[in-house]
Amino acid sequence: MIAYIIRRLLYAVPILIGVNILTFWLFFVVNTPDDMAHMQLGMKHVTEEAVDNWKAERGYDRPLFYNEQQDGMSTLTDTIFFDNSLRLFVFDFGQSDDGRDIGYDISERMWPSLALAIPTLIIGLLVNLTFAMLMAFFRGSYVDLSGVILCVVLMSISGLFYIIGGQWLVSKVLHLVPISGYQPGVDAWKFLILPVVIGVIGGIGSGSRWYRTIFLEEISRDYVRTARAKGLGERLVLFRHVLRNALVPILTGVVVVIPLLFMGSLVMESFFGIPGLGSYTIDAINKQDFAIVRSMVFLGSVLYIIGLILTDISYTLVDPRIRLN
Amino acid sequence: MGTLSKYRLLILCSGLLFVAIGLIVAAPVKWVVLWTDALIFTLMVVIIGTAWMVRSRPYLLAPWRRVVRNRIAAGALVVLLSYVVIGLLDSIHFRELLPAQEGSHQQHYSSNTLSLLDKLLTPIRIQEEKSYSAPFAIQLFSKESLQGDDGTTVRDYPRLQYGGAHLADISQRKEDITNTLLLASSYALATWVVISLLVVWMLARRHGQSYRQQFKQLIRGEMEMPWCTLLLMFLVILLLLFISMMLGVKYHIFGTDKVGQDVFYQTLKSIRTGLVIGTLTTLVMLPFAVVLGVAAGYFRGWVDDVIQYIYTTLNSIPGVLLIAATVLIMQAYIAGNPELFETMEERADARLFFLCLILGITSWTGLCRLLRGEALKLRELDYVQAAHAFGVPQNQVLSRHIFPNVLHIVLISLVLDFSGLVLAEAVLSYVGIGVDPTMHSWGNMINGARLEMAREPMVWWSLMAAFVFMFILVLAANLFADAVRDAFDPRAVR
């Protein structure tokens, strides 16, 4: 098991190098530091001097890969690539374009993101499973049919509609909770409950429909017929046999997103004014702060790869037939 | 179908083509082909060509028949087609000839690029008010200082310049709307009856039945194709078309936005953007996904390793962030090279095209992985092994045996991705990394109206119009995609 994890982590290294080179290429070769300076300082009426100053402040005036003016190791280390890309590997994110420490910002903003994302995931999973179970239990009947129709309709509604409609109904008409904002500590629930509920409702359509398909696939298996032949009731069959076996494909989808919860949900956080990583990223996009976007891309890929490894491990936990080697 | 009717069809088609070319040459306009237009027309040619090919091959036609025989899918198809017609009309662009100036023989073209749809919607397009007005309103949404006849100033809601301008006062509005509704419905009904009779006549002739017999069969739903559903859906579309057009020139049926533009016009213009993002995104990356996916599965070994590495790397970057990063860079590029784009529309269109490319880059990996798996499975099958044993060259095995057998996966993923991409556009435009802010799109409409949520009373019509149009398109696409998947997926239980 441990050997397997170590091997998977080693496999991750070339992928992360690939991500790193890709982002470096996008941010420094396709889009040169000159372009960045122009974006930040305004497109026109910018003197060469101002651009050079801006670049020098951030160390973008150095060569990309190889610095001829230095000697020894410094020829490789005193470059943009080493400073801005390789440092990411030790999670040293450096400074944003307006001079703040990105690592500190991320560690601060991580918590609101998690406070929003974890309840949404857990409640959403439970609700979807319940709905899917109901539809599978009444399969082929009108309950099932109307459930599926409801799912397709819910799926077809834009996520923005749930957010805007929810804010309007709950906060503006009923005045139950504040429209947006955040407060650290216990009072946070007032601000979090609406986004969580909306997140759950927004996910019901696709989620429960997908789980229903998985359940129905399991129900048509031989072991289910055996269980029924033994005289087990439908409820026991569903919970004891079908649910357990259906967990394997469901886990693939869920575990892989767990690490990504840190990243927050871009749209949710910015609509509800929650100071998490999602709104951090949106702000960076709007401010055109390339340093932050680059760090978030790297962080996101690391978390995704961790998610993949976790998925494989969780397989062995729910299904003893699967062995990792 | 006999040879005679085939010739007749050919003559008809070439005649239509001739007329079209004549119109294109003769019209006093400068035709503009934007990047996405070119791609849309290529796509149309490919679709028509494929349809022609499928028609003559029963084994290819069978799954499509299964799709259309499904009542829900047939209804969804009618809805989708009406969206597509609007989108196509909006894809024929030109610049109008400006009136010649005194003493100059040089021809000047307007810097405004119009589309055929703009031309058709001319009254609705140019009837701009000063600011917000509610649906069917005849007054502005907010009060203004008005000069009375006797010189005094009063704060009141000023009358709209166009919306309901033919009415003396608001009490006549209800009657006027009802009259227009009735008139439009009767026109629509009349058109529908004529067309339905034509359809029944055509069907009766094809099946060699009497007219009355055919009619009975159709109403009882005893036909192979759900003609009844198709015709009813067509009636709904016709009703909506006539009502919206006849009311639309008199009132702003969905109200007006902040700068006084008609929201109904904006919604119709947004259709093209949604369709372009939904279809072209998957199509531009399709060659990559197919070639790489099939190659990885078929050749295995180091080819497989390299391709797997590429798509795992791309896949491990969260989609939104990759899109954000690339869109930022693209913005910098477009802003830095303004000389490349002659008009504002061309710039916005270039951005739309890039957005499709970028969305494509983030979404092709899933299809590639599916195709790899399928190719891995296919290469071990007997008929492929037999082809190898007979010494069929590898490229022929790939093109004759592997490629046609993965096409159903391509088709299924194409239709399944469509609705997700339409919805994604709205979110991306909201985040600020979507289409150009000057382009009409549902995302931009929602984004613009979102800030007016706080107004009291609320400005809800822009939001509602965008959501309703998006919902209908996505719902129809979802229903159609389900039918396509059921018909084409060999694993599906029938």
Side-chain angles (χ1 to χ4, degrees):
Chain A
M1 183 78 164
I2 290 169
Y4 174 80
I5 295 174
I6 290 173
R7 211 168 59 228
R8 281 299 300 263
L9 284 175
L10 286 180
Y11 277 140
V13 172
I15 290 171
L16 283 178
I17 293 177
V19 170
N20 208 322
I21 290 175
L22 184 73
T23 42
F24 181 77
W25 179 75
L26 278 176
F27 282 100
F28 286 102
V29 183
V30 177
N31 186 52
T32 58
D34 275 332
D35 292 336
M36 275 191 264
H38 278 287
M39 285 289 250
Q40 288 285 323
L41 303 170
M43 274 336 265
K44 287 164 193 153
H45 316 297
V46 176
T47 55
E48 269 312 297
E49 214 174 308
V51 171
D52 287 341
N53 258 338
W54 188 90
K55 275 160 59 182
E57 269 172 34
R58 287 157 186 80
Y60 292 164
D61 55 345
R62 288 169 299 174
L64 287 179
F65 295 105
Y66 188 77
N67 197 341
E68 283 176 356
Q69 286 152 10
Q70 304 280 337
D71 347 293
M73 271 307 281
S74 293
T75 50
L76 291 176
T77 54
D78 197 20
T79 57
I80 297 182
F81 183 69
F82 185 85
D83 245 14
N84 287 293
S85 268
L86 290 185
R87 282 206 173 167
L88 291 176
F89 278 109
V90 289
F91 296 97
D92 176 2
F93 296 108
Q95 289 189 335
S96 70
D97 284 348
D98 52 12
R100 289 175 63 92
D101 183 16
I102 298 178
Y104 174 76
D105 273 352
I106 290 179
S107 65
E108 280 286 293
R109 283 169 166 261
M110 198 170 87
W111 304 110
S113 280
L114 286 178
L116 172 63
I118 292 177
T120 314
L121 180 81
I122 294 174
I123 300 174
L125 187 65
L126 292 178
V127 170
N128 290 349
L129 279 178
T130 320
F131 263 111
M133 274 300 227
L134 266 176
M135 285 191 279
F137 189 78
F138 292 106
R139 63 188 169 281
S141 72
Y142 277 101
V143 179
D144 182 27
L145 186 69
S146 42
V148 173
I149 292 173
L150 187 72
C151 280
V152 177
V153 170
L154 283 177
M155 262 168 72
S156 307
I157 298 173
S158 165
L160 295 176
F161 181 81
Y162 292 116
I163 299 177
I164 295 177
Q167 274 187 335
W168 173 76
L169 186 73
V170 177
S171 301
K172 217 174 153 208
V173 178
L174 303 174
H175 295 288
L176 290 179
V177 289
I179 285 193
S180 66
Y182 189 73
Q183 212 171 2
V186 191
D187 283 338
W189 71 268
K190 265 191 294 188
F191 298 96
L192 288 175
I193 190 158
L194 184 59
V196 167
V197 169
I198 289 174
V200 169
I201 294 175
I204 285 180
S206 52
S208 31
R209 202 174 145 207
W210 182 44
Y211 294 162
R212 173 184 169 270
T213 327
I214 294 173
F215 283 142
L216 288 189
E217 215 162 90
E218 287 299 324
I219 283 177
S220 61
R221 295 275 165 89
D222 286 341
Y223 70 87
V224 179
R225 201 182 325 155
T226 314
R228 289 215 192 92
K230 284 193 304 190
L232 287 187
E234 186 67 19
R235 230 177 323 152
L236 262 181
V237 172
L238 268 186
F239 280 94
R240 195 92 31 95
H241 296 262
V242 175
L243 182 61
R244 278 195 183 181
N245 282 291
L247 267 182
V248 180
I250 290 173
L251 266 178
T252 351
V254 174
V255 177
V256 85
V257 299
I258 289 179
L260 283 177
L261 294 181
F262 282 97
M263 304 286 292
S265 154
L266 293 179
V267 182
M268 277 298 194
E269 285 182 12
S270 82
F271 256 102
F272 289 97
I274 293 166
L277 287 177
S279 53
Y280 187 54
T281 316
I282 288 212
D283 291 346
I285 291 170
N286 289 333
K287 274 191 302 186
Q288 311 200 315
D289 193 323
F290 290 86
I292 296 177
V293 177
R294 210 175 54 231
S295 313
M296 294 306 282
V297 168
F298 184 76
L299 187 66
S301 340
V302 172
L303 294 173
Y304 178 79
I305 292 168
I306 294 175
L308 285 183
I309 299 174
L310 284 182
T311 314
D312 283 349
I313 296 170
S314 65
Y315 272 154
T316 54
L317 297 181
V318 291
D319 189 348
R321 285 173 305 181
I322 299 173
R323 290 238 171 77
L324 301 176
N325 44 48
Chain B
M1 194 176 274
T3 16
L4 188 74
S5 57
K6 223 174 207 170
Y7 276 122
R8 212 185 288 163
L9 201 69
L10 206 67
I11 291 167
L12 190 75
C13 283
S14 46
L16 278 178
L17 201 69
F18 195 71
V19 171
I21 291 174
L23 277 177
I24 288 172
V25 175
V29 292
K30 183 179 176 185
W31 297 97
V32 179
V33 179
L34 301 175
W35 279 59
T36 47
D37 291 346
L39 282 173
I40 288 172
F41 292 132
T42 322
L43 178 63
M44 286 315 291
V45 171
V46 171
I47 289 178
I48 293 172
T50 320
W52 195 263
M53 203 185 81
V54 167
R55 246 180 59 129
S56 55
R57 289 173 175 74
Y59 60 97
L60 290 178
L61 196 58
W64 281 113
R65 276 180 184 274
R66 255 197 311 270
V67 172
V68 186
R69 229 182 284 154
N70 182 336
R71 264 166 209 286
I72 297 175
L77 187 63
V78 175
V79 176
L80 285 179
L81 279 181
S82 35
Y83 271 82
V84 168
V85 167
I86 296 176
L88 282 180
L89 282 178
D90 204 9
S91 299
I92 304 171
H93 287 96
F94 52 83
R95 282 158 67 181
E96 281 185 306
L97 189 64
L98 291 176
Q101 279 177 333
E102 285 292 318
S104 140
H105 290 288
Q106 222 180 350
Q107 289 188 323
H108 287 286
Y109 292 99
S110 156
S111 63
N112 246 352
T113 309
L114 291 181
S115 74
L116 219 53
L117 184 76
D118 290 327
K119 204 74 194 148
L120 291 174
L121 294 177
T122 299
I124 303 178
R125 175 171 58 96
I126 54 176
Q127 289 177 355
E128 286 191 15
E129 309 293 345
K130 256 159 99 185
S131 182
Y132 287 113
S133 68
F136 291 107
I138 66 169
Q139 286 168 326
L140 269 187
F141 186 60
S142 46
K143 280 186 179 172
E144 269 179 25
S145 298
L146 293 177
Q147 285 280 322
D149 292 332
D150 49 350
T152 52
T153 329
V154 276
R155 295 252 337 144
D156 198 8
Y157 299 103
R159 279 292 294 266
L160 291 180
Q161 212 178 337
Y162 299 99
H166 59 291
L167 302 177
D169 77 282
I170 192 134
S171 59
Q172 299 170 342
R173 189 177 67 170
K174 206 169 179 185
E175 199 192 333
D176 185 54
I177 292 178
T178 326
N179 286 343
T180 320
L181 260 178
L182 286 176
L183 195 67
S185 314
S186 50
Y187 281 157
L189 214 61
T191 321
W192 180 71
V193 168
V194 172
I195 291 176
S196 312
L197 288 178
L198 268 175
V199 168
V200 176
W201 175 72
M202 211 185 67
L203 286 174
R205 249 187 59 149
R206 189 198 281 175
H207 294 159
Q209 281 173 326
S210 81
Y211 196 78
R212 181 190 294 263
Q213 233 176 350
Q214 188 67 55
F215 199 71
K216 262 187 199 156
Q217 262 192 5
L218 195 143
I219 286 183
R220 286 187 197 146
E222 287 168 354
M223 315 222 9
E224 199 205 338
M225 295 288 153
W227 280 105
C228 219
T229 322
L230 284 176
L231 286 175
L232 281 179
M233 268 324 277
F234 187 59
L235 174 66
V236 174
I237 303 274
L238 271 182
L239 276 174
L240 288 177
L241 178 77
F242 274 85
I243 291 172
S244 61
M245 284 302 132
M246 288 178 69
L247 280 175
V249 290
K250 288 183 182 173
Y251 300 94
H252 300 289
I253 51 174
F254 289 166
T256 53
D257 74 343
K258 193 170 183 176
V259 292
Q261 208 177 30
D262 193 284
V263 173
F264 180 55
Y265 169 71
Q266 290 180 339
T267 329
L268 289 183
K269 287 287 280 182
S270 306
I271 288 178
R272 177 174 183 271
T273 315
L275 289 179
V276 164
I277 294 213
T279 50
L280 293 190
T281 299
T282 332
L283 280 174
V284 283
M285 290 316 282
L286 202 58
F288 281 93
V290 172
V291 169
L292 292 182
V294 171
Y298 183 75
F299 293 115
R300 301 200 296 197
W302 66 270
V303 181
D304 192 18
D305 290 338
V306 170
I307 293 170
Q308 275 202 65
Y309 173 71
I310 293 174
Y311 74 63
T312 322
T313 306
L314 274 177
N315 215 14
S316 60
I317 303 177
V320 192
L321 288 176
L322 188 61
I323 294 167
T326 8
V327 168
L328 273 187
I329 287 154
M330 177 195 71
Q331 266 174 337
Y333 176 78
I334 288 181
N337 300 284
E339 69 282 353
L340 287 179
F341 311 105
E342 216 176 309
T343 56
M344 216 166 68
E345 279 79 7
E346 278 173 42
R347 208 188 58 209
D349 183 74
R351 188 166 162 177
L352 177 66
F353 176 68
F354 278 119
L355 186 68
C356 286
L357 272 183
I358 294 161
L359 276 171
I361 291 173
T362 55
S363 63
W364 67 281
T365 48
L367 177 62
C368 190
R369 193 165 29 205
L370 278 178
L371 289 175
R372 173 179 169 270
E374 191 70 13
L376 268 178
K377 208 169 70 193
L378 285 177
R379 76 187 299 276
E380 302 301 333
L381 289 188
D382 288 344
Y383 65 89
V384 179
Q385 297 292 333
H388 278 306
F390 279 127
V392 180
Q394 260 180 354
N395 51 358
Q396 258 187 43
V397 174
L398 277 173
S399 62
R400 295 276 277 286
H401 299 293
I402 307 274
F403 178 67
N405 286 305
V406 298
L407 269 183
H408 68 277
I409 297 183
V410 174
L411 184 80
I412 292 170
S413 82
L414 207 80
V415 288
L416 281 182
D417 283 351
F418 176 83
S419 47
L421 287 167
V422 174
L423 291 177
E425 186 272 329
V427 174
L428 290 180
S429 295
Y430 163 72
V431 180
I433 50 176
V435 299
D436 197 80
T438 61
M439 189 161 226
H440 292 292
S441 88
W442 290 314
N444 280 340
M445 282 174 72
I446 294 170
N447 200 12
R450 187 176 54 93
L451 299 170
E452 305 303 328
M453 284 259 298
R455 257 173 192 262
E456 200 60 57
M458 212 169 97
V459 176
W460 48 270
W461 42 90
S462 271
L463 283 176
M464 219 51 211
F467 281 135
V468 168
F469 268 69
M470 202 154 60
F471 172 69
I472 295 173
L473 175 62
V474 172
L475 184 65
N478 274 336
L479 293 173
F480 187 68
D482 282 348
V484 169
R485 192 189 48 199
D486 291 346
F488 279 86
D489 196 347
R491 277 177 311 178
V493 196
R494 281 185 203 118

